[in-house]
Short mmCIF file of all heavy atoms in Angstrom, two decimals:
data_model
loop_
_atom_site.label_atom_id
_atom_site.label_comp_id
_atom_site.label_asym_id
_atom_site.label_seq_id
_atom_site.Cartn_x
_atom_site.Cartn_y
_atom_site.Cartn_z
N LEU A 1293 82.41 37.03 -117.68
CA LEU A 1293 81.30 36.46 -118.46
C LEU A 1293 80.37 37.55 -119.01
O LEU A 1293 79.99 37.53 -120.18
CB LEU A 1293 80.52 35.49 -117.57
CG LEU A 1293 79.23 34.91 -118.11
CD1 LEU A 1293 79.50 34.02 -119.32
CD2 LEU A 1293 78.49 34.14 -117.02
N PHE A 1294 79.97 38.47 -118.16
CA PHE A 1294 79.00 39.47 -118.60
C PHE A 1294 79.63 40.50 -119.55
O PHE A 1294 78.94 41.02 -120.44
CB PHE A 1294 78.31 40.14 -117.40
CG PHE A 1294 77.30 39.26 -116.71
CD1 PHE A 1294 76.63 39.70 -115.58
CD2 PHE A 1294 77.01 37.97 -117.18
CE1 PHE A 1294 75.68 38.90 -114.94
CE2 PHE A 1294 76.07 37.15 -116.54
CZ PHE A 1294 75.40 37.62 -115.41
N ILE A 1297 79.19 38.95 -122.81
CA ILE A 1297 77.82 39.12 -123.32
C ILE A 1297 77.65 40.52 -123.89
O ILE A 1297 77.09 40.71 -124.97
CB ILE A 1297 76.79 38.79 -122.22
CG1 ILE A 1297 76.78 37.26 -121.96
CG2 ILE A 1297 75.40 39.28 -122.61
CD1 ILE A 1297 75.86 36.81 -120.84
N ILE A 1302 79.43 36.04 -126.28
CA ILE A 1302 78.61 34.95 -125.74
C ILE A 1302 77.16 35.35 -126.00
O ILE A 1302 76.77 36.50 -125.69
CB ILE A 1302 78.88 34.73 -124.24
CG1 ILE A 1302 80.28 34.14 -124.04
CG2 ILE A 1302 77.83 33.83 -123.61
CD1 ILE A 1302 80.66 33.93 -122.59
N PRO A 1303 76.35 34.45 -126.56
CA PRO A 1303 74.97 34.82 -126.87
C PRO A 1303 74.12 34.99 -125.62
O PRO A 1303 74.36 34.35 -124.58
CB PRO A 1303 74.47 33.65 -127.72
CG PRO A 1303 75.37 32.51 -127.40
CD PRO A 1303 76.69 33.08 -126.98
N ALA A 1304 73.12 35.85 -125.72
CA ALA A 1304 72.16 36.04 -124.64
C ALA A 1304 70.85 36.50 -125.27
O ALA A 1304 70.85 37.06 -126.37
CB ALA A 1304 72.67 37.08 -123.64
N PHE A 1316 69.10 41.15 -120.28
CA PHE A 1316 68.90 39.86 -120.94
C PHE A 1316 68.32 38.88 -119.94
O PHE A 1316 68.45 39.03 -118.72
CB PHE A 1316 70.22 39.33 -121.52
CG PHE A 1316 71.37 39.29 -120.55
CD1 PHE A 1316 71.63 38.15 -119.80
CD2 PHE A 1316 72.19 40.40 -120.36
CE1 PHE A 1316 72.68 38.11 -118.89
CE2 PHE A 1316 73.25 40.38 -119.45
CZ PHE A 1316 73.49 39.22 -118.72
N ARG A 1317 67.68 37.82 -120.49
CA ARG A 1317 67.01 36.85 -119.62
C ARG A 1317 68.03 35.96 -118.91
O ARG A 1317 69.00 35.51 -119.52
CB ARG A 1317 66.04 35.99 -120.44
CG ARG A 1317 64.94 36.84 -121.03
CD ARG A 1317 63.73 36.08 -121.51
NE ARG A 1317 62.88 37.01 -122.24
CZ ARG A 1317 62.06 37.91 -121.67
NH1 ARG A 1317 61.94 37.94 -120.34
NH2 ARG A 1317 61.35 38.75 -122.39
N ASP A 1318 67.76 35.75 -117.62
CA ASP A 1318 68.63 34.87 -116.83
C ASP A 1318 68.52 33.45 -117.37
O ASP A 1318 67.43 32.97 -117.70
CB ASP A 1318 68.21 34.91 -115.36
CG ASP A 1318 69.27 34.34 -114.44
OD1 ASP A 1318 69.53 33.12 -114.51
OD2 ASP A 1318 69.85 35.11 -113.66
N ILE A 1319 69.65 32.77 -117.45
CA ILE A 1319 69.69 31.43 -118.01
C ILE A 1319 69.01 30.42 -117.08
O ILE A 1319 68.65 29.32 -117.51
CB ILE A 1319 71.16 31.03 -118.27
CG1 ILE A 1319 71.27 29.97 -119.34
CG2 ILE A 1319 71.88 30.63 -116.99
CD1 ILE A 1319 72.69 29.78 -119.86
N ASN A 1320 68.81 30.79 -115.84
CA ASN A 1320 68.20 29.91 -114.83
C ASN A 1320 67.08 30.69 -114.13
O ASN A 1320 67.18 31.04 -112.95
CB ASN A 1320 69.27 29.44 -113.85
CG ASN A 1320 68.74 28.46 -112.83
OD1 ASN A 1320 67.72 27.79 -113.05
ND2 ASN A 1320 69.41 28.36 -111.69
N HIS A 1326 62.49 36.99 -115.38
CA HIS A 1326 63.76 37.06 -114.64
C HIS A 1326 64.80 37.58 -115.63
O HIS A 1326 65.35 36.84 -116.45
CB HIS A 1326 64.16 35.68 -114.10
CG HIS A 1326 65.37 35.73 -113.20
ND1 HIS A 1326 65.80 34.64 -112.48
CD2 HIS A 1326 66.23 36.74 -112.89
CE1 HIS A 1326 66.88 34.99 -111.77
NE2 HIS A 1326 67.16 36.25 -112.02
N LEU A 1328 68.22 40.10 -116.19
CA LEU A 1328 69.39 40.74 -115.58
C LEU A 1328 69.66 42.05 -116.30
O LEU A 1328 69.78 42.07 -117.53
CB LEU A 1328 70.61 39.82 -115.69
CG LEU A 1328 70.46 38.44 -115.06
CD1 LEU A 1328 71.71 37.59 -115.34
CD2 LEU A 1328 70.22 38.54 -113.56
N ASN A 1373 72.50 40.92 -105.52
CA ASN A 1373 73.33 40.12 -104.63
C ASN A 1373 74.73 40.72 -104.67
O ASN A 1373 75.32 40.86 -105.74
CB ASN A 1373 73.36 38.67 -105.10
CG ASN A 1373 72.00 38.01 -105.04
OD1 ASN A 1373 71.19 38.32 -104.15
ND2 ASN A 1373 71.72 37.10 -105.95
N ASN A 1379 75.43 35.47 -102.10
CA ASN A 1379 75.18 34.63 -103.29
C ASN A 1379 75.50 35.33 -104.60
O ASN A 1379 74.99 34.94 -105.65
CB ASN A 1379 73.74 34.11 -103.35
CG ASN A 1379 73.60 32.76 -102.67
OD1 ASN A 1379 74.56 32.24 -102.12
ND2 ASN A 1379 72.42 32.20 -102.71
N GLN A 1380 76.34 36.37 -104.57
CA GLN A 1380 76.81 36.90 -105.85
C GLN A 1380 77.80 35.90 -106.44
O GLN A 1380 78.75 35.47 -105.77
CB GLN A 1380 77.50 38.26 -105.67
CG GLN A 1380 77.87 38.89 -107.03
CD GLN A 1380 78.45 40.29 -106.92
OE1 GLN A 1380 78.68 40.81 -105.81
NE2 GLN A 1380 78.68 40.92 -108.05
N THR A 1381 77.54 35.50 -107.68
CA THR A 1381 78.40 34.53 -108.36
C THR A 1381 79.08 35.11 -109.59
O THR A 1381 80.09 34.57 -110.05
CB THR A 1381 77.60 33.28 -108.78
OG1 THR A 1381 76.53 33.67 -109.66
CG2 THR A 1381 77.02 32.57 -107.57
N VAL A 1382 78.51 36.17 -110.15
CA VAL A 1382 79.13 36.85 -111.30
C VAL A 1382 79.48 38.27 -110.82
O VAL A 1382 78.58 39.04 -110.45
CB VAL A 1382 78.18 36.90 -112.51
CG1 VAL A 1382 78.84 37.66 -113.66
CG2 VAL A 1382 77.79 35.49 -112.95
N HIS A 1386 74.96 43.45 -111.61
CA HIS A 1386 73.72 43.10 -112.30
C HIS A 1386 72.57 43.18 -111.31
O HIS A 1386 72.68 42.74 -110.16
CB HIS A 1386 73.78 41.70 -112.92
CG HIS A 1386 74.21 40.63 -111.97
ND1 HIS A 1386 75.52 40.42 -111.61
CD2 HIS A 1386 73.49 39.71 -111.30
CE1 HIS A 1386 75.58 39.41 -110.76
NE2 HIS A 1386 74.37 38.96 -110.54
N HIS A 1388 68.82 41.79 -110.67
CA HIS A 1388 67.83 40.78 -111.07
C HIS A 1388 66.45 41.44 -111.04
O HIS A 1388 66.00 41.88 -109.98
CB HIS A 1388 67.79 39.62 -110.09
CG HIS A 1388 69.04 38.81 -109.97
ND1 HIS A 1388 69.18 37.56 -110.51
CD2 HIS A 1388 70.22 39.07 -109.34
CE1 HIS A 1388 70.37 37.06 -110.22
NE2 HIS A 1388 71.03 37.96 -109.50
P1 5GP B 1242 74.25 36.26 -108.94
O1 5GP B 1242 74.23 34.93 -108.27
O2 5GP B 1242 75.69 36.71 -109.21
O3 5GP B 1242 73.44 37.29 -108.25
O4 5GP B 1242 73.53 36.08 -110.33
C1 5GP B 1242 74.15 35.62 -111.49
C2 5GP B 1242 73.07 35.17 -112.41
O5 5GP B 1242 73.61 35.00 -113.70
C3 5GP B 1242 72.42 33.83 -112.03
O6 5GP B 1242 71.03 34.03 -111.78
C4 5GP B 1242 72.69 32.93 -113.22
O7 5GP B 1242 71.61 32.08 -113.53
C5 5GP B 1242 72.96 33.94 -114.33
N1 5GP B 1242 73.86 33.45 -115.35
C6 5GP B 1242 75.06 32.83 -115.16
N2 5GP B 1242 75.64 32.56 -116.33
C7 5GP B 1242 74.79 33.02 -117.30
C8 5GP B 1242 74.86 33.04 -118.73
O8 5GP B 1242 75.81 32.57 -119.36
N3 5GP B 1242 73.81 33.59 -119.38
C9 5GP B 1242 72.74 34.12 -118.72
N4 5GP B 1242 71.75 34.64 -119.45
N5 5GP B 1242 72.66 34.13 -117.37
C10 5GP B 1242 73.68 33.59 -116.67
#
Side-chain angles (χ1 to χ4, degrees):
L1293 173 65
F1294 286 178
I1297 289 177
I1302 291 178
F1316 52 92
R1317 297 196 189 282
D1318 196 293
I1319 204 167
N1320 184 22
H1326 187 172
L1328 302 175
N1373 296 327
N1379 269 2
Q1380 186 175 5
T1381 59
V1382 178
H1386 52 282
H1388 297 255

